[in-house]
């Protein structure tokens, strides 16, 4: 049967090999082709810009924001709206035409950069997707770089809305996209580019950390309520803290309470948001539980980024998107980076809706970003020296629907009582509500924040290395067991590899986009391993302890 589409960028890809009929995520073949075209045209625009850079020109100011927005839009579960993707393709083509038109040396641009947008976008998209690269390893390495760049783009965009940019990372984004247009690089060059992507992954996460801390203060230990109040509410999901800030400001005194869902939970850890008395707590669990959670929430819902699950009719008309997120038929709140968005329509809508139905009434403890952990360093070091903490287990990453993810709940449950879990990202929902207890007042699950706050875990590890006077980060009593789902987890993984961390376990399944040869190299070079069963992995890590 002829394939209608091809996408293997996320963990839930069909049969663990690729979505070929329609996406498990709900992405149809036309949307897939449009996303492929948007990526291709982003490479093409980057290629034109890179050529001009090689001729001694500067990268125009608007280029990196445009490219990062394009890439972020194509991340799994971010934007299902074909019109929104068409609009981005058009903008990108126009900008490319402008740059080529203004160039004194138009013929310097290669054929691949020159498509002018004539013809059908979907048809064109079908010719430039993942399978347009025939060599399996070249394809694998190119996609690995591209998914890393998508993660970088997401974090770049979040830092950008808080007024922080990093020219080096922007230059890298342009260069890496340009170099992955067509088949310009060989396997060795692409492997080097993969490692460099990890380097900029660290840099962009540091940038975002700095942007968040400068805007909202250092995260601190917080107890977040999971019960509900009597007022109508708005449930905010995704990762964009600036959107949350604007909504909190505009909903002050409106009688509408604001709750977080999934990856927005860590917003409660920032001191800045304490001043909003209508910022009530967290409602529900990880992104994939939204059908259930959004239905019982009863109020309006705001998706600021991924992960959107195609909505049920029971709540679709109360679901709003903003930023790079989009879903056909759901209202989109516009506004570019740096602009004040107008959230009045969602606030007015929420006022007319019933209060949330309570689904739990407890607390989640978090806020263990690097500055907070460093404040606890004396206590932690003492617990390690006394043998009360034997190992730290980094379990950052994503959650998802796969039943195989039960592994993480079971792994956390089986961990010896003298271990402490360091987490970040939505992976935490697999165990953060279990009461795993404390060691000398230190909770056994330390949540640093969103997936990008995996950077915090790396800073914590580097600090411990310094305190214990070790020369190699791998000599620390730290285990890395990372769960992946989408492309932000890819950049987190590449960043950890760049920092020299070895023997990371990755699950719940092997990424389909890693060819056997690329998988073998990662295994050999970095000791990357797949998870097995909680019993076997537990034995592997703790048999000798
Ligand atoms: Fe999760 Fe979705 Fe944050 Fe991802 S909500 S899966 S890695 O978008 O980005 O952790
Ligand atoms: Fe399939 Fe994932 Fe791609 Fe969606 S994003 S089409 S589920 S591989």
């Amino acid at each position: 049967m002829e394939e209608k589409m091809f996408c293997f960028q996320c963990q839930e890809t069909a049969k663990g090999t690729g979505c070929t009929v329609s996406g498990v995520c709900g992405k149809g073949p036309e949307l897939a082709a449009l996303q492929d075209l948007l990526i291709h045209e982003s490479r093409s625009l980057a290629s034109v810009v890179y050529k001009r850079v090689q001729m001694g020109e500067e990268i125009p100011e608007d280029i990196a924001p445009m490219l990062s927005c394009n890439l972020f839009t194509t991340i799994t579960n971010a934007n299902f709206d074909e019109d929104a993707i068409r609009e981005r393709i058009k903008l990108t083509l126009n900008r490319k035409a402008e740059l080529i038109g203004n160039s004194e040396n138009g013929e310097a641009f290669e054929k691949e950069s020159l498509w002018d947008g004539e013809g059908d976008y979907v048809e064109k998209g079908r010719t430039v997707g993942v399978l347009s690269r025939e060599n399996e390893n070249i394809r694998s390495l190119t996609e690995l770089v591209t998914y890393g760049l998508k993660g970088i783009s997401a974090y770049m965009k979040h830092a950008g809305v808080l007024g922080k940019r990093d020219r080096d990372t922007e230059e890298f984004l342009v260069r890496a996209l340009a170099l992955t247009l067509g088949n310009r690089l060989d396997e060795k060059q692409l492997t080097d580019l993969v490692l460099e992507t990890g380097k900029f992954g660290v840099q962009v996460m540091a940038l975002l950390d700095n942007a968040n801390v400068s805007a909202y203060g250092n995260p601190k230990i917080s107890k977040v309520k999971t019960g509900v109040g009597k007022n109508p509410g708005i449930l905010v999901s995704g990762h964009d803290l600036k959107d949350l800030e604007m909504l909190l400001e505009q909903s002050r005194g409106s009688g509408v309470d604001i709750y977080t869902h999934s990856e927005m939970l860590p917003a409660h850890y920032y001191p800045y948001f304490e001043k909003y008395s209508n910022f009530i707590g967290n409602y529900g669990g990880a992104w994939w539980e939204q059908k259930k959670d959004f239905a019982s929430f009863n109020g309006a819902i705001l998706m600021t980024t991924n992960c959107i699950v195609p909505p049920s009719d029971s709540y679709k008309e109360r679901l709003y998107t903003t930023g790079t997120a989009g879903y056909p038929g759901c209202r989109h709140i516009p506004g570019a980076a740096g602009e004040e968005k107008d959230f009045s329509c969602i606030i007015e809508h929420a006022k007319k809706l019933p209060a949330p139905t309570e689904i739990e009434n407890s607390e989640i403890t978090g806020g263990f970003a690097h500055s907070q952990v460093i404040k606890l360093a004396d206590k932690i070091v003492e617990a390690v020296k006394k043998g009360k903490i034997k190992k730290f287990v980094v379990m950052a990453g994503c959650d998802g629907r796969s039943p195989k993810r039960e592994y993480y709940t079971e792994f956390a449950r089986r961990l010896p009582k003298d271990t402490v879990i360091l987490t970040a990202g939505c992976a935490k929902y697999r165990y953060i509500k279990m009461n795993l207890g404390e060691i000398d007042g230190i909770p056994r699950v330390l949540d640093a924040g969103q997936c990008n706050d995996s950077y915090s875990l790396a800073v914590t590890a580097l600090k411990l290395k310094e305190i214990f006077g070790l020369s190699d980060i791998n000599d620390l009593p730290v285990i890395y067991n990372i769960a992946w789902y989408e492309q932000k987890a890819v950049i987190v993984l590449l960043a950890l590899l760049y920092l020299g961390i070895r023997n990371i376990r990755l699950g719940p399944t092997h990424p389909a986009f890693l060819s056997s040869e690329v998988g073998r190299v990662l295994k050999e070079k970095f000791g990357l391993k797949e998870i097995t069963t909680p019993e076997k992995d537990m034995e592997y890590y703790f048999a000798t302890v």
Side-chain angles (χ1 to χ4, degrees):
M1 196 179 76
E2 204 200 325
E3 287 177 353
K4 293 189 174 153
M5 60 181 277
F6 189 83
C7 180
F8 60 177
Q9 69 173 355
C10 84
Q11 186 272 324
E12 289 185 355
T13 196
K15 297 185 186 136
T17 52
C19 294
T20 56
V21 181
S22 72
V24 173
C25 59
K27 171 161 104 179
E30 304 218 328
L31 179 60
L34 290 170
Q35 290 191 356
D36 287 345
L37 182 57
L38 181 55
I39 293 295
H40 177 78
E41 279 309 313
S42 299
R43 296 194 211 277
S44 179
L45 170 62
S47 183
V48 170
V49 174
Y50 186 51
K51 192 73 169 180
R52 290 170 60 120
V53 169
Q54 286 173 315
M55 293 187 230
E57 293 179 33
E58 294 279 311
I59 299 176
E61 280 288 304
D62 63 319
I63 293 299
M66 179 180 258
L67 293 172
S68 57
C69 186
N70 288 355
L71 265 65
F72 193 3
T73 305
T74 70
I75 276 188
T76 301
N77 293 338
N79 200 317
F80 293 84
D81 185 354
E82 290 180 20
D83 291 342
I85 313 286
R86 283 180 189 277
E87 192 47 41
R88 294 224 59 85
I89 295 171
K90 225 177 271 165
L91 282 172
T92 310
L93 280 161
N94 288 345
R95 191 68 180 100
K96 183 178 75 172
E98 221 173 77
L99 287 172
I100 292 178
N102 289 343
S103 172
E104 288 167 12
N105 198 2
E107 66 278 9
F109 303 108
E110 292 169 47
K111 215 171 73 219
E112 286 163 310
S113 312
L114 295 178
W115 185 59
D116 59 4
E118 280 303 307
D120 185 71
Y121 282 5
V122 171
E123 284 311 310
K124 176 73 180 172
R126 289 195 168 121
T127 65
V128 293
V130 172
L131 298 181
S132 61
R133 287 182 182 79
E134 279 168 18
N135 180 300
E136 201 195 10
N137 297 329
I138 298 279
R139 186 194 303 152
S140 175
L141 290 163
T142 305
E143 293 308 311
L144 185 52
V145 170
T146 307
Y147 304 155
L149 294 178
K150 289 189 184 195
I152 286 179
S153 294
Y155 297 153
M156 203 184 240
K157 169 105 191 331
H158 292 314
V161 294
L162 296 174
K164 301 278 182 194
R165 294 178 67 166
D166 175 51
R167 297 289 157 184
D168 287 353
T169 310
E170 295 187 357
E171 187 277 333
F172 175 70
L173 178 69
V174 169
R175 177 161 51 87
L177 280 172
L179 292 175
T180 49
L181 177 72
N183 284 299
R184 295 179 178 185
L185 302 183
D186 61 24
E187 283 183 36
K188 162 81 181 69
Q189 290 166 316
L190 277 168
T191 306
D192 292 345
L193 198 59
V194 167
L195 299 181
E196 208 183 351
T197 307
K199 171 181 163 195
F200 284 100
V202 177
Q203 203 154 313
V204 79
M205 280 193 263
L207 179 78
L208 179 51
D209 181 77
N210 176 269
N212 286 338
V213 168
S214 311
Y216 306 121
N218 272 311
K220 58 184 179 99
I221 304 178
S222 314
K223 290 194 185 300
V224 183
K225 295 203 177 346
T226 60
V228 300
K230 291 195 168 48
N231 293 332
I234 299 176
L235 187 54
V236 188
S237 193
H239 305 71
D240 198 309
L241 296 176
K242 184 69 191 172
D243 286 333
L244 175 73
E245 180 196 336
M246 287 187 270
L247 177 65
L248 283 168
E249 201 52 49
Q250 292 174 31
S251 64
R252 266 183 158 176
S254 67
V256 173
D257 288 340
I258 308 296
Y259 296 80
T260 54
H261 188 259
S262 190
E263 274 283 75
M264 203 47 95
L265 159 71
H268 294 279
Y269 309 159
Y270 290 94
Y272 183 90
F273 297 115
E274 277 173 6
K275 64 184 180 196
Y276 298 103
S277 58
N278 63 332
F279 194 32
I280 295 294
N282 191 71
Y283 187 87
W287 67 271
W288 61 275
E289 295 179 281
Q290 66 189 247
K291 279 206 161 157
K292 169 173 65 67
D293 295 345
F294 290 3
S296 62
F297 182 72
N298 304 328
I301 301 137
L302 178 66
M303 295 296 310
T304 63
T305 68
N306 57 334
C307 283
I308 303 176
V309 174
S312 322
D313 289 343
S314 70
Y315 63 83
K316 187 171 175 185
E317 64 84 42
R318 27 185 190 96
L319 183 73
Y320 290 71
T321 61
T322 192
T324 47
Y327 198 88
C330 292
R331 274 162 287 187
H332 185 81
I333 295 169
E339 266 175 36
E340 180 69 14
K341 295 184 184 178
D342 179 2
F343 288 102
S344 55
C345 57
I346 187 170
I347 297 169
E348 288 311 310
H349 188 173
K351 283 182 186 170
K352 299 185 197 112
L353 296 167
T357 305
E358 191 155 274
I359 49 175
E360 57 191 316
N361 193 345
S362 180
E363 279 178 347
I364 298 174
T365 304
F368 296 93
H370 54 89
S371 59
Q372 179 63 78
V373 176
I374 286 161
K375 276 195 195 141
L376 294 174
D378 289 350
K379 231 173 162 180
I380 293 174
V381 170
E382 201 185 304
V384 172
K385 288 193 174 148
K386 284 186 183 158
K388 291 191 172 177
I389 298 178
K390 292 248 173 57
K391 272 194 201 294
F392 297 92
V393 187
V394 174
M395 287 178 77
C398 318
D399 198 9
R401 288 167 281 220
S402 164
K404 288 195 173 144
R405 290 183 189 265
E406 289 295 325
Y407 166 96
Y408 295 101
T409 309
E410 200 41 41
F411 189 85
R413 199 194 317 276
R414 284 173 179 257
L415 279 170
K417 300 279 176 281
D418 52 12
T419 54
V420 169
I421 297 175
L422 305 177
T423 191
C426 58
K428 62 170 131 316
Y429 284 100
R430 287 282 161 182
Y431 42 79
I432 200 161
K433 293 179 186 176
M434 284 160 37
N435 186 5
L436 292 180
E438 295 185 343
I439 301 173
D440 284 356
I442 303 160
R444 286 196 52 232
V445 181
L446 303 182
D447 177 29
Q450 298 182 335
C451 43
N452 45 289
D453 294 309
S454 301
Y455 168 75
S456 240
L457 306 183
V459 173
T460 299
L462 290 168
K463 188 72 196 168
L464 289 174
K465 176 183 149 212
E466 187 189 309
I467 292 174
F468 290 112
L470 300 170
S471 57
D472 184 348
I473 196 164
N474 293 294
D475 292 338
L476 280 169
V478 182
I479 293 166
Y480 293 83
N481 195 344
I482 307 291
W484 84 284
Y485 172 67
E486 46 92 342
Q487 299 81 58
K488 280 179 255 172
V490 174
I491 195 59
V492 169
L493 176 69
L494 294 180
L496 293 177
L497 297 182
Y498 172 75
L499 289 171
I501 293 162
R502 292 180 54 86
N503 299 322
I504 298 173
R505 259 181 212 272
L506 188 65
T509 51
H510 179 79
F513 56 82
L514 294 182
S515 66
S516 37
E517 176 59 14
V518 173
R520 189 191 60 74
V521 172
L522 289 176
K523 224 177 209 168
E524 221 174 78
K525 211 169 154 62
F526 300 103
L528 196 68
K529 293 180 181 57
E530 283 169 44
I531 58 164
T532 62
T533 63
E535 298 81 348
K536 280 192 197 154
D537 290 351
M538 207 52 65
E539 205 183 302
Y540 171 84
Y541 285 124
F542 297 101
T544 53
V545 174

